[in-house]
Amino acid sequence: MARLHPRFGVPSVATLILGGFGLALCLVPLKLLITILGSATIAYYLWACLGVLRGRMAGLTAHAAYRMPLFPLAPLAGLMVLAAIVWTSLGDVSGRTSLAVTAAIMVMSALYYRLALHGKGRWAHRGPTPVAS
């Protein structure tokens, strides 16, 4: 997916795959699409809260320019709010579906990272390639 088009210098395979997913999502009912996006937001905030906790406790943010006041109040409060949102989502059919879809996306992403990306060196942005005229 990271292969660039030789003439245009864009990730054409990744663009086609994401475009295909976007096209498929046009066929999903709007209510389900909104709840899936809500569940994805839950996942983003979950990982952000866990990352803040791990970063501070492991000393990874010791030399950061900003340190969160009243640590760990904000990430713990965030986790409690997320738990309440998940609890209420489990009571709704579309909420359960969206949580399952989000969990499946996270599992597939972790598997893709583990099987395809992990161990191939560090990723580095190399910028656009010059286009031959």
Side-chain angles (χ1 to χ4, degrees):
M1 284 184 30
R3 188 177 339 155
L4 298 178
H5 188 275
R7 181 173 172 206
F8 301 116
V10 298
S12 54
V13 175
T15 302
L16 289 172
I17 290 172
L18 286 176
F21 279 124
L23 184 63
L25 288 175
C26 290
L27 305 173
V28 174
L30 184 60
K31 182 180 179 193
L32 180 60
L33 186 60
I34 289 171
T35 54
I36 289 172
L37 291 174
S39 294
T41 304
I42 291 170
Y44 301 147
Y45 279 104
L46 170 72
W47 292 114
C49 290
L50 294 176
V52 166
L53 290 171
R54 182 180 183 276
R56 177 69 82 86
M57 292 179 172
L60 300 173
T61 60
H63 301 291
Y66 174 79
R67 290 183 58 92
M68 183 183 297
L70 302 175
F71 178 82
L73 184 62
L76 292 177
L79 289 174
M80 289 190 314
V81 169
L82 290 174
I85 293 171
V86 168
W87 179 258
T88 58
S89 294
L90 290 173
D92 181 41
V93 174
S94 62
R96 283 192 298 273
T97 304
S98 67
L99 289 173
V101 168
T102 301
I105 290 170
M106 290 187 342
V107 167
M108 289 187 301
S109 299
L111 285 173
Y112 177 73
Y113 172 77
R114 191 59 144 154
L115 299 174
L117 299 178
H118 186 71
K120 294 193 179 202
R122 247 180 120 78
W123 181 84
H125 178 63
R126 292 175 181 79
T129 56
V131 178
S133 38

